[in-house]
Amino acid sequence: MQIGEVAERVGLSLRTIRYYEEVGLVRPSARTTGRFRLYTEPDVARLRLVKRMKTLEFSLEEMGELLGVLDRLDEPDAAPELHAELIERLVTFRVLAQERCADLRNQLEIAESFAADLRGEISRQRRRVKEVR
C-alpha cells in the first residue's frame, strides 16, 4: 500500500506518518523505483499501535522503547533471560497504560459532570426567561 491508503486506513495524516518515520517509530517495508513508500499489513498494524499509544500520551521515547521491546520479543533466537526481561518491561508498559486509562476515566468523569452542570444552567436560564415573559 502507498502512504495515502495507509493514512486513510489508520486515520493519521500523511505528515504524521512521515514524522513517525523520521523519528524512527515506523518505516515503510519498501519503496518503489520512484521512491514512493510502500507499506505492508504489519506496517499498518504498527502505525495503529503508535496511534493508540499517542492517545494514552506516551512520549516518542516511550513509544520507541515499547516498539523495540515488541520487536525483540518477536526475534526467534532471543536468549531466555533476555526474553524474560523483555516480558517484564512489557508488564511495566501495561501498568503504565492502565494508569493512563484510569486518568482518562477520571478526566471523562469531570468533563461529564461539567456538561451536566451546563445542562442544568441552561434549563435554569430557560425557565427564568419564561418567567419574565
Side-chain angles (χ1 to χ4, degrees):
M1 289 166 275
Q2 289 190 352
I3 194 170
E5 182 181 348
V6 171
E8 188 174 313
R9 286 183 59 188
V10 177
L12 293 171
S13 69
L14 301 175
R15 183 176 169 203
T16 298
I17 294 172
R18 287 184 190 113
Y19 176 71
Y20 287 154
E21 180 184 351
E22 182 182 313
V23 297
L25 294 178
V26 296
R27 55 188 115 21
S29 289
R31 289 192 181 257
T32 66
T33 54
R35 304 291 301 149
F36 290 104
R37 295 165 175 86
L38 293 175
Y39 296 88
T40 61
E41 287 300 328
D43 299 330
V44 171
R46 189 175 183 101
L47 277 166
R48 283 191 176 119
L49 179 59
V50 169
K51 182 180 177 183
R52 291 166 58 200
M53 287 187 279
K54 180 67 177 162
T55 300
L56 291 177
E57 298 182 353
F58 279 87
S59 68
L60 292 173
E61 183 179 291
E62 290 170 323
M63 289 181 201
E65 185 179 346
L66 177 56
L67 291 168
V69 166
L70 293 171
D71 290 345
R72 286 180 285 168
L73 280 168
D74 284 340
E75 292 174 358
D77 56 346
E81 305 82 31
L82 175 61
H83 197 263
E85 287 175 29
L86 293 171
I87 290 172
E88 283 308 309
R89 190 68 190 127
L90 202 55
V91 168
T92 301
F93 276 106
R94 186 198 67 205
V95 169
L96 185 56
Q98 289 172 323
E99 289 170 357
R100 291 181 183 182
C101 286
D103 290 344
L104 285 171
R105 279 189 211 80
N106 185 49
Q107 287 178 13
L108 180 58
E109 185 178 304
I110 292 167
E112 287 174 336
S113 175
F114 176 65
D117 289 348
L118 288 175
R119 281 191 302 273
E121 182 61 21
I122 290 166
S123 295
R124 188 178 77 76
Q125 292 298 329
R126 285 183 175 156
R127 282 191 307 273
R128 191 169 156 233
V129 168
K130 287 181 184 178
E131 290 172 3
V132 172
R133 289 185 187 167

